[in-house]
Amino acid sequence: MQKKILIIGSGGFIGKHVVQAFLKKKNVEIFEGSKFNIDINNILSFKKAFNKIKPDIVINLAAFSHLDNSSLNNIFKLNCFSVIDIVDFLISNNFEGRFINTSSALVYGSKTHGVIKESMSPEPEHSYAVAKAAVDNLFNIIQSDLQATSVRPF
């Protein structure tokens, strides 16, 4: 049986590569969020696509990563609050699949030397990293309600 995977942010740099990698697999059916008009800042657009597709896995690759001169509202809305909206929706709908969200190595700060290990304590140094770390921490406490995972592509 094929797994249905909904990818939000499929048109971005990482998203394009993830879609291409999944298209090489035989046991998955890919649904690109952009083709379903998903705007991560509009939970209704996500709900509509989710209810139509009924995915087994939701992958969020959308991010607002313009760090210079960006408003805190823009940074937190896309990287934190919109993700929380999706999480709330998935939990309230008893989603039994997996939600995968992109985080960032920046949650560890810039003072790291050598290999970064996940056992290191986060030390975010700017708002983008704080927003990403907030979602990472949320995932640690909701595991009984939702299979949620943060990935940090470097």
Side-chain angles (χ1 to χ4, degrees), residues 70-81:
S70 297
S71 76
L72 291 175
N73 187 52
N74 287 340
I75 291 168
F76 276 84
K77 174 62 179 152
L78 194 121
N79 295 305
C80 185
F81 303 138

Side-chain angles (χ1 to χ4, degrees), residues 2 9 13 24 27 37 40 49 51 60 62 64 66 68 73 79-80 100-101 103 109 124 136 139 142 145 147-148:
Q2 286 194 324
F13 177 76
K24 295 175 184 174
N27 60 343
N37 297 316
I40 191 158
N51 289 328
N60 177 33
F64 185 89
H66 305 286
D68 297 329
N73 187 52
N79 295 305
C80 185
I100 300 169
N101 187 63
S103 182
D136 294 347
F139 285 4
I142 64 166
D145 298 317
Q147 292 182 62

Side-chain angles (χ1 to χ4, degrees), residues 14-69:
I14 294 173
K16 290 176 187 175
H17 293 284
V18 169
V19 167
Q20 289 304 312
F22 275 121
L23 288 175
K24 295 175 184 174
K25 305 286 184 189
K26 296 182 192 280
N27 60 343
V28 297
E29 187 175 3
I30 302 303
F31 297 88
E32 296 183 52
S34 58
K35 293 182 179 176
F36 288 84
N37 297 316
I38 294 177
D39 172 359
I40 191 158
N41 288 317
N42 179 347
I43 190 64
L44 295 177
S45 68
F46 173 78
K47 289 177 181 181
K48 182 178 177 182
F50 180 90
N51 289 328
K52 183 174 184 176
I53 297 165
K54 301 193 183 325
D56 300 294
I57 300 168
V58 177
I59 301 174
N60 177 33
L61 301 171
F64 185 89
S65 59
H66 305 286
L67 305 179
D68 297 329
N69 300 321

